[in-house]
Amino acid sequence: LRNVTTPTRRPMTRQALERLLEALPPPGAGASTLYVAPGSTRAGLVSRLTDLLPAEHATVVTGLAAESETGAVLLWDPPQGHLVLPPFSVREDALYPGGNVNPLRELLAQEPLIGVLLLRLGRYAVGVYRGSSLVASKTGTRYVKGRHHAGGTSQQRFVRVREKQVAELFKAACGVLAQRFAPYAGRLDHVFLGGERLTLQAFRRRCPFLESLAPRVRQRIPQ
């Protein structure tokens, strides 16, 4: 959620966002609600937003909405407004006069099927959620040596051992991922990855099953 007229942004749970929607005052005569589906271009957004917002606010909203994987919802009631970057994808572009939050409420009421992989060097966890309910999971560990700062042959030997340990971890994690995700693979709405970004990038290159789900893998990576 972002207040359009002040440069503040804060993550919200679904329940908190629902409470905020309940607390919104009745919309004024100039209020509008804009729904932006994922994939909208900056040029297309600029042409739509400049008719609604002052130029300085249109620039901010355009950048955030264009970068969002799930689209955006603009609740504009001059001179104030909120931009919601929802957890799940806006279905279609739409502009409503007044304060129409019903499509946003329907979006928040979804119970999507979500795959989750948490990966760090040494451990992993895989889960499948229906909404907030965990329906499948498994965790595992594989020892991976820490960093080594000595030089010479000792360093080279350490690097070879560590690379082998990382490869074994990735192989185990990929196997569990395929095992737990496979029964749901055709129905997964979203896949989220958590962990250190470089480790996840390396893992994706070595796990063909995960790459087969690439269209559903979201870019947000919790650390």
Side-chain angles (χ1 to χ4, degrees):
L1 175 73
R2 180 162 184 154
N3 189 312
V4 174
T5 54
T6 58
T8 58
R9 182 176 181 177
R10 58 189 171 114
M12 300 185 76
T13 63
R14 179 170 64 180
Q15 293 77 11
L17 181 53
E18 289 171 342
R19 289 194 296 269
L20 182 141
L21 296 179
E22 289 286 349
L24 289 175
S32 298
T33 307
L34 176 67
Y35 288 81
V36 177
S40 298
T41 65
R42 288 178 180 268
L45 285 169
V46 167
S47 65
R48 296 162 66 190
L49 290 169
T50 51
D51 293 333
L52 292 176
L53 304 175
E56 65 272 20
H57 302 330
T59 299
V60 173
V61 172
T62 294
L64 291 170
E67 293 171 3
S68 173
E69 289 185 288
T70 56
V73 181
L74 173 64
L75 310 173
W76 178 240
D77 192 1
Q80 297 291 322
H82 296 283
L83 181 69
V84 179
L85 306 179
F88 311 122
S89 298
V90 174
R91 296 188 180 94
E92 59 184 1
D93 294 336
L95 175 62
Y96 300 97
N100 186 357
V101 297
N102 289 333
L104 179 55
R105 291 184 189 279
E106 292 174 2
L107 190 66
L108 296 175
Q110 290 183 28
E111 293 289 328
L113 195 62
I114 300 172
V116 177
L117 167 69
L118 305 178
L119 177 66
R120 293 189 182 278
L121 293 182
R123 65 188 64 186
Y124 60 86
V126 174
V128 178
Y129 290 82
R130 168 65 71 184
S132 59
S133 300
L134 183 65
V135 297
S137 67
K138 188 171 182 178
T139 63
T141 60
R142 284 289 191 280
Y143 178 71
V144 176
K145 288 178 175 289
R147 298 290 180 181
H148 182 66
H149 300 289
T153 57
S154 174
Q155 171 71 14
Q156 295 170 6
R157 183 169 56 253
F158 171 85
V159 169
R160 289 194 298 269
V161 171
R162 191 171 191 271
E163 286 178 346
K164 181 180 178 181
Q165 291 171 340
V166 171
E168 291 172 349
L169 170 70
F170 285 178
K171 181 179 180 180
C174 187
V176 170
L177 187 79
Q179 181 186 56
R180 289 297 185 265
F181 279 18
Y184 311 95
R187 295 177 285 134
L188 287 171
D189 296 296
H190 308 277
V191 175
F192 290 97
L193 309 179
E196 199 276 321
R197 188 176 297 273
L198 293 179
T199 300
L200 292 172
Q201 289 174 349
F203 176 75
R204 291 186 65 168
R205 292 193 295 268
R206 301 193 199 182
C207 186
F209 181 83
L210 180 57
E211 279 302 279
S212 72
L213 300 174
R216 281 164 269 179
V217 177
R218 303 303 169 221
Q219 297 304 309
R220 286 176 287 168
I221 299 178
Q223 299 300 312

